[in-house]
Amino acid sequence: MCTCITYKNQGSFYFGRNLDLEYSFDEQVVITPRNYNFDFHDGTMSFKHPAMIGMATVVNGYPLYAEAVNESGLCMAGLNFPGAAKYLEEKEGMHNVAPFEFIPWLLCQCHTVEEAKDLLQHTNLVAVNFSEQLPAAPLHWMISDENSSIVVEPMEDGLHVYDNPYGVMTNNPPFYYHLYNMNNYMHLSAENAVNRMDEQLPLKTYAEGMGAIGLPGDSSSASRFVLAAFLKAKAVCENSEECNISEFFHILNKVAMVKGSVVTGSGHFDITTYSCCVNVKEGIYYYVTYDNQNVEAVHMHHEDLEGDSVVSYPLVKKMTIHNQN
């Protein structure tokens, strides 16, 4: 399970997510410079492309991204989509792309969501594994820039692309359900509740926050979608880097997994292994981990982006406590 969001505030733009898993996948913050050579499944090669930063596991020098942002401002994250994701056989006349390479394949070629939408019209996600030990994960993706977001879902009848007015994505059911389900919550408000039942009845509020009674708080994907969309819509923050980052992580914290609260079908605990927030324009990747709530940062533009090898930063997982006395 995972939750992905965007956040805009007076010209500042952020993209990030919670990654919820029962295990670690040796994830690291990875910067791929412009001259790293991607050799894609469809036979194309990319020698010169926008640099990108995100969370990935690196296998034999290859970055397997969970999410990434390129220096043009295009963002992309893959989220779990079991039971619904379907990768197809190769099709003639299409870009036949393996799921493990989908993020860099698209971020190497596109600078905006509109460019991505054009490319996706001729894209087919195929059932190709990275290796026998690393089979293709069942995923769907959110792609965003400063102006818009879309959701891409590979299903039995092909690739579905949805406009995403919320800039929020979670997991199953398919995205069309989440779009329709939001209609059930149009009454939610950050203001005090108003008696609309019967003016003759002595009904009144007795606590703050009653305007949002009915806002879900469980860990299901449908509930996390509604909660994240509501919190994002109501977020208020002065336009400073510190405030924006704090607000972003507060939203993600509200839809995070606390160890013990969700037990998977295999009997393990689902936890938010990490949360990230990327300042898209500055190329700064902020993250926290389950055991380290101190905000760590990796700056893409502090590296040599004309290089040809990925640069990796292991996660800082040990918390530092500041003692004031």
Side-chain angles (χ1 to χ4, degrees), residues 270-319:
D270 210 353
I271 65 168
T272 299
T273 60
Y274 72 84
S275 304
C276 68
C277 167
V278 186
N279 182 321
V280 175
K281 294 182 178 180
E282 299 297 328
I284 307 173
Y285 188 100
Y286 301 98
Y287 72 89
V288 300
T289 70
Y290 191 85
D291 293 318
N292 177 20
Q293 291 294 296
N294 302 311
V295 178
E296 310 289 340
V298 177
H299 298 247
M300 179 168 65
H301 293 286
H302 288 182
E303 302 297 329
D304 176 15
L305 298 183
E306 293 298 333
D308 59 7
S309 299
V310 299
V311 179
S312 302
Y313 286 88
L315 300 193
V316 179
K317 296 186 176 182
K318 183 175 176 58
M319 181 181 294

Side-chain angles (χ1 to χ4, degrees), residues 6-270:
T6 61
Y7 180 70
K8 289 180 66 175
N9 186 20
Q10 301 179 49
S12 299
F13 176 55
Y14 301 84
F15 178 90
R17 57 100 61 85
N18 287 340
L19 190 134
D20 307 324
L21 275 177
E22 58 193 62
Y23 57 87
S24 171
F25 57 94
D26 193 28
E27 62 270 23
Q28 304 175 67
V29 182
V30 177
I31 298 168
T32 300
R34 300 172 187 131
N35 293 306
Y36 178 90
N37 181 24
F38 282 105
D39 188 0
F40 294 117
H41 175 75
D42 65 357
T44 62
M45 301 179 73
S46 184
F47 296 98
K48 190 73 174 178
H49 50 76
M52 61 192 76
I53 186 171
M55 193 73 79
T57 182
V58 179
V59 181
N60 297 326
Y62 192 96
L64 298 170
Y65 279 110
E67 80 283 328
V69 173
N70 73 17
E71 60 182 318
S72 299
L74 190 61
C75 318
M76 188 170 178
L79 281 70
N80 202 23
F81 197 42
K86 177 68 175 180
Y87 304 127
L88 305 178
E89 298 297 320
E90 294 192 8
K91 296 181 180 179
E92 188 175 351
M94 300 286 283
H95 301 292
N96 293 296
V97 182
F100 68 82
E101 66 184 6
F102 189 30
I103 289 178
W105 180 82
L106 192 139
L107 294 185
C108 280
Q109 301 180 73
C110 299
H111 305 275
T112 66
V113 166
E114 288 304 312
E115 290 182 7
K117 289 170 75 172
D118 290 340
L119 185 61
L120 290 168
Q121 293 181 40
H122 310 285
T123 299
N124 178 42
L125 290 178
V126 295
V128 174
N129 299 330
F130 182 78
S131 67
E132 289 185 6
Q133 295 74 31
L134 294 170
L139 301 175
H140 59 172
W141 291 264
M142 186 163 93
I143 304 170
S144 304
D145 61 21
E146 186 177 6
N147 300 309
S148 61
S149 294
I150 58 175
V151 167
V152 179
E153 296 187 332
M155 302 184 75
E156 186 76 42
D157 58 346
L159 206 61
H160 294 248
V161 180
Y162 303 92
D163 290 324
N164 181 357
Y166 299 101
V168 171
M169 192 171 87
T170 55
N171 312 103
N172 286 341
F175 192 68
Y176 64 80
Y177 169 87
H178 295 289
L179 290 174
Y180 194 79
N181 185 51
M182 285 298 293
N183 292 301
N184 293 321
Y185 299 93
M186 67 174 69
H187 63 283
L188 297 179
S189 172
E191 308 296 330
N192 282 330
V194 176
N195 177 14
R196 292 188 175 93
M197 178 184 290
D198 187 342
E199 294 181 356
Q200 304 304 312
L201 295 175
L203 304 176
K204 61 181 180 180
T205 59
Y206 53 81
E208 302 295 339
M210 292 178 65
I213 286 179
L215 179 65
D218 62 86
S219 296
S220 68
S221 58
S223 294
R224 283 183 285 111
F225 190 102
V226 175
L227 180 54
F230 177 82
L231 295 173
K232 176 186 162 182
K234 301 304 182 184
V236 177
C237 182
E238 66 183 42
N239 189 25
S240 69
E241 186 73 348
E242 293 78 9
C243 186
N244 288 330
I245 296 166
S246 176
E247 198 76 0
F248 197 99
F249 280 120
H250 275 301
I251 295 171
L252 289 181
N253 283 341
K254 289 286 287 186
V255 291
M257 303 290 160
V258 177
K259 189 173 184 178
S261 64
V262 176
V263 180
T264 68
S266 60
H268 296 93
F269 297 126
D270 210 353

